Amino acid sequence: MTPPTVTPLPGSIDETLALLASARYVGDRALATVLFLSLRMGRPLMLEGEAGVGKTEIAKVLAAALGRRLIRLQCYEGLDVASAVYEWNYAGQMMAIRLAEAGGETDRDRLQEDVFSPRHLVKRPLLQALEPQAGGPPVLLIDELDRTDEAFEAFLLEILSDFQVTVPELGTIAAAAPPIVIITSNRTREIHDALKRRCLYHWIDYPDAERERRIVAEKAPHAASALTRELVAFVQRLRGEDLFKAPGVAETLDWASALTELDAVALDPATVDDTLGVLLKYQDDIARISGSRARAILDAARAEARLEA
């Protein structure tokens, strides 16, 4: 079997921008710079920003562009070592014990060695990321770290410092080549300084209008150009309103797709009111914007779109 081709890491910031573009990610130079440095220095990259601005997507496109395996650890409250790193296959261990007893095995040391062998070890994402991969070290995405507790953060320190995990029954398992680590946080709580020191850091903000239009053109190409200008201008202005949750880029793309499904070629007040639930996810926000406020934002957005046409 022919081994897979290992895609080399980008050799410059411009090559990093091109790498992102090859996977249809519209990034800016600041992001490309910190991503290039993270790849060159072998340091984890922590990405913070509001939900829906494209943090998780960066890990996905990086894995796709480099031809690496993507290993994702989705964080949540109560995440523990058994779910994130490893656990033992207790059913398999019990079966091994019973088979050994049925076969007359009496050597307890040999039995213990067999029961706690790697074949009974269930590898979770963090341990999988330390294993050699055919296409090169994988991309490890630790997604929404802020959803976990501080105890789990503390456990990550050994992995992010030395790229190794200690399994008491087997010893220390270290990566021959460190994975490419992307950590995301929606900043629902502050991540501890000890973990941040081990990472390079970048804040991903909402894109400006020009870049958001490029994103819509790339990800929702069927939307008419006039519609794209209007909807981006509307969303840009909507983010300046007093909302519980402003729409992210993901919502912009969803709205562009929804409007295309409705065969819309331009925005009108009725369509905006009927589809606000695609952009806004809280009823209080929808109630605040729908009606006269939406029409005022739409009028300003249309004027802005005409100037940019």
Side-chain angles (χ1 to χ4, degrees):
M1 181 181 295
T2 304
T5 302
V6 177
T7 303
L9 299 179
S12 67
I13 297 170
D14 289 335
E15 287 184 15
T16 306
L17 272 171
L19 184 75
L20 293 173
S22 71
R24 301 174 61 220
Y25 189 93
V26 182
D28 57 18
R29 194 168 185 83
L31 171 62
T33 299
V34 72
L35 185 56
F36 167 71
L37 292 173
S38 173
L39 294 172
R40 294 286 288 187
M41 298 167 65
R43 296 280 296 277
L45 175 59
M46 175 169 287
L47 301 172
E48 283 194 325
E50 299 293 338
V53 294
K55 303 183 297 298
T56 300
E57 190 70 12
I58 290 172
K60 293 180 179 179
V61 301
L62 189 62
L66 292 175
R68 309 293 180 92
R69 179 186 176 191
L70 174 66
I71 299 176
R72 179 173 182 172
L73 174 63
Q74 181 61 55
C75 298
Y76 54 87
E77 186 177 353
L79 180 64
D80 58 10
V81 172
S83 300
V85 189
Y86 75 94
E87 64 179 330
W88 291 104
N89 181 356
Y90 298 115
Q93 289 175 317
M94 289 301 299
M95 184 174 293
I97 290 172
R98 291 179 180 177
L99 288 174
E101 290 175 345
E105 178 63 65
T106 59
D107 189 330
R108 295 178 63 87
D109 290 338
R110 183 180 299 175
L111 180 59
Q112 181 173 349
E113 183 178 339
D114 179 62
V115 167
F116 289 103
S117 65
R119 67 192 180 97
H120 293 302
L121 188 67
V122 180
K123 299 172 183 177
R124 300 303 186 192
L126 293 182
L127 187 54
Q128 292 173 22
L130 302 181
E131 295 183 313
Q133 306 289 330
V139 175
L140 170 62
L141 169 62
I142 303 176
D143 208 14
E144 298 184 320
L145 179 60
D146 53 317
R147 292 182 179 271
T148 64
D149 54 32
E150 294 185 2
F152 185 76
E153 271 189 54
F155 179 79
L156 280 180
L157 295 180
E158 177 186 15
I159 296 177
L160 298 183
S161 296
D162 304 316
F163 294 104
Q164 64 182 30
V165 167
T166 299
V167 180
E169 298 84 356
L170 296 178
T172 299
I173 300 173
I180 298 168
V181 181
I182 304 292
I183 303 172
T184 74
S185 168
N186 295 332
R187 209 174 184 182
T188 57
R189 69 171 179 84
E190 287 293 334
I191 304 299
H192 198 277
D193 288 345
L195 192 143
K196 280 190 171 183
R197 284 198 301 270
R198 288 159 173 78
C199 306
L200 301 187
Y201 176 87
H202 185 68
W203 174 267
I204 297 186
D205 209 344
Y206 296 116
D208 59 23
E210 188 276 333
R211 188 155 69 92
E212 193 157 21
R213 285 194 297 271
R214 288 168 53 205
I215 293 171
V216 173
E218 183 67 49
K219 298 292 188 178
H222 298 299
S225 58
L227 176 64
T228 296
R229 287 193 298 271
E230 287 186 1
L231 72 87
V232 167
F234 186 92
V235 172
Q236 290 274 324
R237 289 183 174 275
L238 191 58
R239 291 185 185 130
E241 298 291 313
D242 183 19
L243 300 173
F244 183 78
K245 173 63 178 71
V249 178
E251 283 74 32
T252 303
L253 294 174
D254 285 344
W255 201 33
S257 297
L259 293 170
T260 302
E261 291 293 333
L262 295 173
D263 296 323
V265 293
L267 293 180
D268 62 75
T271 301
V272 169
D273 278 348
D274 290 344
T275 58
L276 272 179
V278 180
L279 283 177
L280 304 175
K281 308 301 180 180
Y282 291 88
Q283 176 55 31
D284 289 348
D285 287 345
I286 294 174
R288 183 179 296 113
I289 296 300
S290 62
S292 60
R293 188 58 196 152
R295 285 193 292 274
I297 297 172
L298 177 57
D299 288 343
R302 282 171 169 171
E304 183 180 327
R306 283 194 295 270
L307 291 175
E308 293 168 348

